[in-house]
Structure formats: C-alpha cells, structure tokens
Amino acid sequence: LGMVPLMRLEDGSLLSENAAILQYIAGRYPDAGLGARDDLERAKLQQWLCFIGTELHKALFIPLFEKALGEDAKQHARDKGKSRLAYLNNYLTCREFLLSRFTVADAYLYTVLNWSMATAVDLAPWPAVQSYFKRLQTRPSVAKAFKEELALYKAEQTRHQAA
C-alpha cells in the first residue's frame, strides 16, 4: 500500500500527506472555518491529524485492507486498535467534535471510521465513537461527499471487474 495522497497545486507542484493537504485546504478557504484559528488550536488540530493518520489509518485499517496479510496479522491490528479506539472514545465522550467545532480533522476521522464497514471493525464497544460517526453522517457536507465518493468507488469497482 504505497499509495500517498497527492494534490496538484495551482503552480503545478505537488503536496503530499493527508495532514498537509487538509491543512492547506482549510487555509485556502478560511471562511469555511475548517482550520485552526490560533496557535493552540493549530497544535491540537495537528495532534488529531497525526493520531488519525498513524494510530487509526495506518496502524488499524491499512493492515485490514492488505490482502497479502494473514488473519493472525489482521487480528493483531484489530487487538492493538482497541486501545486506540478506547482512547478516542474517552476523548469524544461529551464532545461533539475533536476541536470546538467541525474541522478537517473531523472530516478525516469520519473517512477513516467509515472504513469500519469494509473491514468489519465493530464500533459498538465504543459508544461515543459510534455516536460521533452517526452524527457526522447526518451533516449535509459529509453526506454529499460520501454519496459522491461511493459513486466513484462503484465506478472503479466496475472498471476493475471489466479489466
């Protein structure tokens, strides 16, 4: 899984890595309120982007998508993921978002948690995480993005089946 997220910028250069791309987008559209408003919030946003990227995206979900890994390795990822999800659950208890409002970190976390459906990661043991995920599904922007992404995914699946 050597895929790296890339974004081509207006000058033709490339920007890579989720955390950098998400913060760049938030900075380009400040009126959307998706980024940090001060230094402390910037640090907390970076903290959550790193946690999502390393502890959930790479450590939990990527191994579960890897076809070459055996069930023992996948179970090991699930077992290690429990402590990460418990940490997230504890943090989200009595909170609506990762920061004081919806940010790019919430958008990224929603995307990663959405992979629980494809990987059979049950969020039920973590009720605050499950509630957060369901709550974000009702946001119009998230629902729209999910619908568009699902259509692209289905088209890609059809293309692979035809090849």
Side-chain angles (χ1 to χ4, degrees), residues 12-53:
S13 65
L14 296 175
L15 183 62
S16 67
E17 301 300 335
N18 285 323
I21 291 169
L22 290 169
Q23 290 178 89
Y24 176 80
I25 291 169
R28 293 277 295 162
Y29 303 96
D31 291 345
L34 298 173
R37 295 184 285 206
D38 59 36
D39 290 341
L40 179 58
E41 201 170 69
R42 185 172 296 101
K44 289 183 181 222
L45 179 66
Q46 184 64 29
Q47 170 190 316
W48 281 111
L49 290 171
C50 289
F51 175 83
I52 298 162

Side-chain angles (χ1 to χ4, degrees), residues 89-111:
N89 189 77
N90 184 54
Y91 181 82
L92 287 173
T93 299
C94 300
R95 283 187 174 90
E96 189 174 357
F97 303 112
L98 293 171
L99 300 181
S100 62
R101 68 197 186 292
F102 184 84
T103 66
V104 292
D106 295 292
Y108 185 23
L109 181 54
Y110 174 82
T111 299

Side-chain angles (χ1 to χ4, degrees), residues 21-151:
I21 291 169
L22 290 169
Q23 290 178 89
Y24 176 80
I25 291 169
R28 293 277 295 162
Y29 303 96
D31 291 345
L34 298 173
R37 295 184 285 206
D38 59 36
D39 290 341
L40 179 58
E41 201 170 69
R42 185 172 296 101
K44 289 183 181 222
L45 179 66
Q46 184 64 29
Q47 170 190 316
W48 281 111
L49 290 171
C50 289
F51 175 83
I52 298 162
T54 59
E55 303 299 328
L56 299 176
H57 184 154
K58 295 290 184 182
L60 174 58
F61 287 102
I62 291 300
L64 300 179
F65 282 115
E66 181 61 56
K67 289 179 174 40
L69 284 182
E71 187 51 40
D72 287 348
K74 291 181 181 191
Q75 188 57 49
H76 179 72
R78 282 187 206 99
D79 290 344
K80 286 185 75 173
K82 289 177 183 177
S83 66
R84 291 154 171 103
L85 289 167
Y87 172 79
L88 181 62
N89 189 77
N90 184 54
Y91 181 82
L92 287 173
T93 299
C94 300
R95 283 187 174 90
E96 189 174 357
F97 303 112
L98 293 171
L99 300 181
S100 62
R101 68 197 186 292
F102 184 84
T103 66
V104 292
D106 295 292
Y108 185 23
L109 181 54
Y110 174 82
T111 299
V112 171
L113 291 175
N114 192 48
W115 298 339
S116 64
M117 291 184 272
T119 58
V121 170
D122 184 9
L123 298 179
W126 301 282
V129 173
Q130 190 174 45
S131 173
Y132 168 88
F133 180 67
K134 288 179 179 180
R135 191 170 52 255
L136 287 188
Q137 285 177 320
T138 66
R139 288 182 66 84
S141 60
V142 172
K144 181 178 186 257
F146 177 76
K147 182 179 177 184
E148 291 173 3
E149 186 175 305
L150 184 59

Side-chain angles (χ1 to χ4, degrees), residues 3-14:
M3 294 177 58
V4 174
L6 285 174
M7 179 179 180
R8 185 170 305 280
L9 303 177
E10 291 172 1
D11 67 0
S13 65
L14 296 175

